[in-house]
Amino acid sequence: MSERKDLELIASLVPPGSRVLDLGCGRGELLAHLREHRQCTGYGIEIDDAKVLACTQRGVNVIQLNLEEGLAIFEDQSFDVVLQLDTLQHLRNTESMLRETARVGRIGIVSFPNFAHWPNRLRVLSGRMPVTRALPYEWYNTPNIRVGTYADFEVLARKNGLQVLDGFGIRQGRPVRFRPNLLSSVAVFKFARG
Amino acid sequence: MGSLGHVTPASMSFDAPLPLRSGAQLSNYTLVYETYGRLNADKSNAVLVCHALNASHHVAGTYEGQPRSEGWWDNLVGPGKPLDTDRFFVIGINNPGSCFGSTGPTHPNPATDRPWGADFPVVTVEDWVQAQARLLQALGITQLAAVLGGSLGGMQALSWALQFPQRLRHCVAIATAPNLSAQNIAFNEVARRAIVTDPDFHGGHYYAHGVVPKRGLRVARMIGHITYLSDDVMEAKFGRELRAAELGYSTQEIEFQIESYLRHQGDKFSEYFDANTYLLITRALDYFDPAREHGGDLARAMAAATAKFLLVSFTTDWRFSPARSREIVKALLDNRRDVSYAEIDAPHGHDAFLLDDPRYHGVLKAYFDRIGQEVGV
């Protein structure tokens, strides 16, 4: 999600003036963007020391926590939007994290690499795991402990009682609404408690 | 990074009585303080550094003619350091009740003309903050860029944010807690009992007897010291290493290196620290609990604060554990305050807040850089 256009696309889903929680906020780019362009307030959660430092340098509120330990520090519905961009696939407790996201925020927005993007499918057909811009790691050194597809998420959301408000793909910084499972490298969903 | 070089303490006396939480008051009192760097024209670059249990106003720099007299936070405060004295005007104030110059138990009690001793009124974190606020007022500083403190100093920083919300822009509280746990109070109580049961204590009026309760102070310091380190650090530094090649089969002699170290620390401390001050300061620690007046609800207590916050904790600090800092973070989140929190994975236990860890100092430097930009220095 380091791409500028991806960032702007996701930011456009966040209503102006929202109170935002960004889970796995990285270096705080998105929060800074939301603050400057959409008058949002909020906090980032990050575990990595270097990224916490980068957020501090940027003047973004950052809280160093391990997301695997849950979101108990946040009250129910205390944020307008909870973002989980390029983060979900790194977590073990994916399902409880999604439910927690919907508990803490009125709206949740997730994005993750779509494993069903056609170049990935071709690569798997050829017998190898994909290495692409959205999935830039070899199978043996990837930090992504989950791989899922656009279509998989819809099933997971239903199973966890989440109401999908919107879903689309991203390819090269542009939204993909036609056959996103096949044609996009990144899956994006906006959801709320069902 | 440069050094501050030689610094000189100053003092200021106050005639207006200082009312204390206990209901008592200090009718007149003197505070000793040091400053580093320059106060800018609009007086917006002042940072107050609050001291912890056994420290003083001497935060950074050295005293002339005393080569090993670096201030207790000299690695953090100075030209080019994380709290950069080329940009900020830094102030360290010695609290009332201390034994480092400000009015305390060794000073004469105006009612008797004898040293206060154990009769010095019990002072609280809130009282100290009131005293500090008066000194800053006298220096013409109406709003601090930040208040910074670790441990008991962090409690003072929090108290500043609650008692004088408009008088600080940022609150930086490190390795601290919203109150002491029962276990912490227990350690303090053991330390106090060691002091008051020392035959040389004389009900706190040992000055008149020409003695000091050194044995008690030594034990107090030993138990305190154990709690400031992590088990891992102690293991790495001392392990089960013996002083001699063979076991001595003695219960009185020093056999393990850790015993030698603790006794050394205890001896050193008992040479310079005042026993009555130790009693007072540990009590101030026990009493600090801003949530108490709000039915134990820390979020309600923190509602008064308007400053922006940075909290830092250390993973191996079991005396002021990260969980305690997270309680403060949560209370601030509940009030929608600006807060950042760094949890530094350092091995050193509570003492880490005084040490030079690049991640820890990096976050502080970045935070103070932002404050500097905000106040235009």
Side-chain angles (χ1 to χ4, degrees):
Chain A
M1 207 53 51
S2 56
E3 289 267 317
R4 187 80 198 165
K5 281 185 174 171
D6 286 15
L7 185 140
E8 281 171 12
L9 193 58
I10 301 277
S12 70
L13 300 175
V14 178
S18 295
R19 184 174 146 82
V20 177
L21 181 65
D22 187 354
L23 304 175
C25 67
R27 308 177 74 83
E29 294 100 335
L30 182 63
L31 278 169
H33 181 93
L34 289 170
R35 183 181 60 193
E36 277 143 39
H37 299 281
R38 299 185 86 79
Q39 297 75 50
C40 294
T41 57
Y43 312 87
I45 306 296
E46 183 51 64
I47 190 166
D48 182 81
D49 290 332
K51 292 173 182 168
V52 167
L53 177 62
C55 289
T56 310
Q57 284 163 340
R58 202 169 246 131
V60 162
N61 290 326
V62 60
I63 307 204
Q64 190 163 24
L65 289 179
N66 184 353
L67 287 175
E68 301 285 9
E69 285 162 20
L71 299 180
I73 200 166
F74 300 106
E75 296 293 323
D76 293 2
Q77 303 288 289
S78 51
F79 290 90
D80 299 314
V81 179
V82 178
L83 299 161
Q84 212 164 138
L85 308 179
D86 235 7
T87 299
L88 203 59
Q89 74 270 20
H90 303 316
L91 298 176
R92 284 182 192 286
N93 57 357
T94 315
E95 277 194 274
S96 63
M97 206 56 211
L98 272 179
R99 287 194 297 268
E100 279 285 88
T101 300
R103 173 185 69 81
V104 167
R106 280 184 264 280
I107 295 173
I109 297 173
V110 300
S111 74
F112 58 92
N114 173 30
F115 200 75
H117 191 205
W118 66 265
N120 299 342
R121 296 187 192 194
L122 280 182
R123 179 86 172 165
V124 172
L125 269 181
S126 81
R128 299 285 307 279
M129 284 294 278
V131 179
T132 62
R133 219 170 43 168
L135 287 166
Y137 303 97
E138 295 286 355
W139 66 276
Y140 50 81
N141 68 5
T142 175
N144 303 330
I145 59 174
R146 314 278 180 210
V147 286
T149 70
Y150 185 96
D152 284 333
F153 187 85
E154 292 179 309
V155 176
L156 180 67
R158 227 178 358 257
K159 181 181 171 239
N160 282 281
L162 305 177
Q163 184 193 353
V164 172
L165 305 172
D166 193 9
F168 59 89
I170 298 182
R171 185 167 53 90
Q172 294 178 347
R174 292 178 179 280
V176 177
R177 291 192 175 270
F178 174 71
R179 302 194 70 178
N181 198 40
L182 182 67
L183 299 179
S184 57
S185 59
V186 174
V188 181
F189 288 92
K190 186 166 163 176
F191 59 92
R193 266 205 286 208
Chain B
M1 284 191 300
S3 158
L4 272 167
H6 295 148
V7 297
T8 315
S11 68
M12 196 182 284
S13 293
F14 298 82
D15 289 329
L18 181 72
L20 305 172
R21 282 285 160 124
S22 64
Q25 62 174 28
L26 284 177
S27 52
N28 53 66
Y29 57 100
T30 298
L31 297 178
V32 179
Y33 66 102
E34 280 176 24
T35 67
Y36 323 100
R38 272 220 185 100
L39 189 60
N40 62 359
D42 58 1
K43 299 186 176 178
S44 64
N45 69 335
V47 175
L48 174 68
V49 177
C50 302
H51 70 76
L53 194 148
N54 61 348
S56 68
H57 52 280
H58 184 40
V59 178
T62 53
Y63 293 143
E64 191 161 15
Q66 298 176 46
R68 292 188 61 195
S69 60
E70 287 87 8
W72 54 274
W73 231 347
D74 192 70
N75 62 11
L76 187 82
V77 180
K81 291 180 181 173
L83 178 44
D84 187 350
T85 50
D86 288 337
R87 303 173 79 179
F88 292 102
F89 178 67
V90 178
I91 307 145
I93 303 175
N94 188 213
N95 290 322
S98 164
C99 50
F100 295 112
S102 293
T103 298
T106 60
H107 291 95
N109 176 352
T112 63
D113 274 339
R114 288 170 40 219
W116 279 98
D119 298 334
F120 194 85
V122 167
V123 277
T124 63
V125 167
E126 288 78 9
D127 298 331
W128 288 336
V129 167
Q130 291 286 337
Q132 293 160 6
R134 288 190 179 185
L135 189 144
L136 293 168
Q137 193 73 44
L139 294 177
I141 297 162
T142 50
Q143 191 187 49
L144 290 155
V147 180
L148 163 67
S151 192
L152 177 57
M155 290 175 169
Q156 292 163 58
L158 294 177
S159 184
W160 260 96
L162 298 177
Q163 293 194 79
F164 298 107
Q166 303 305 317
R167 290 180 66 179
L168 70 165
R169 300 176 74 102
H170 292 265
C171 175
V172 183
I174 297 165
T176 194
N179 60 30
L180 287 194
S181 65
Q183 188 190 42
N184 267 325
I185 296 173
F187 284 126
N188 284 348
E189 174 60 4
V190 173
R192 281 191 296 264
R193 294 313 294 169
I195 291 169
V196 303
T197 56
D198 185 313
D200 284 338
F201 185 64
H202 297 292
H205 298 289
Y206 43 86
Y207 315 105
H209 295 78
V211 291
V212 284
K214 278 194 177 181
R215 279 161 289 190
L217 262 176
R218 279 193 200 109
V219 175
R221 179 57 177 172
M222 284 164 80
I223 185 143
H225 207 81
I226 296 167
T227 69
Y228 304 145
L229 303 179
S230 68
D231 192 21
D232 286 349
V233 158
M234 251 197 230
E235 193 58 40
K237 258 172 120 170
F238 307 102
R240 297 183 50 84
E241 200 185 322
L242 295 168
R243 289 243 295 192
E246 299 293 329
L247 297 181
Y249 297 98
S250 155
T251 57
Q252 308 292 307
E253 297 306 313
I254 296 174
E255 294 223 43
F256 293 94
Q257 286 293 5
I258 182 66
E259 297 173 318
S260 164
Y261 173 74
L262 284 177
R263 288 201 200 180
H264 170 71
Q265 291 292 336
D267 286 347
K268 222 171 59 176
F269 189 68
S270 70
E271 294 293 325
Y272 72 85
F273 210 83
D274 178 62
N276 283 314
T277 290
Y278 203 84
L279 301 179
L280 285 170
I281 294 189
T282 54
R283 210 32 146 188
L285 268 163
D286 294 350
Y287 279 176
F288 182 71
D289 186 7
R292 191 170 176 272
E293 290 159 32
H294 299 271
D297 186 337
L298 186 62
R300 270 175 54 203
M302 295 308 288
T306 56
K308 295 174 181 170
F309 284 80
L310 172 67
L311 286 108
V312 181
S313 73
F314 301 92
T315 49
T316 52
D317 183 350
W318 54 279
R319 189 131 185 207
F320 292 84
S321 71
R324 305 306 319 275
S325 282
R326 281 192 229 121
E327 286 177 39
I328 303 166
V329 172
K330 174 158 176 45
L332 291 165
L333 288 169
D334 289 348
N335 283 294
R336 306 186 162 210
R337 296 295 182 263
D338 278 304
V339 51
S340 281
Y341 170 57
E343 197 167 293
I344 308 291
D345 188 13
H348 314 98
H350 186 56
D351 264 0
F353 89 89
L354 293 168
L355 303 177
D356 190 357
D357 179 298
R359 291 159 302 172
Y360 161 46
H361 276 192
V363 166
L364 283 187
K365 178 167 176 35
Y367 198 78
F368 275 105
D369 283 349
R370 298 295 303 191
I371 299 176
Q373 283 171 28
E374 200 180 294
V375 300
V377 293

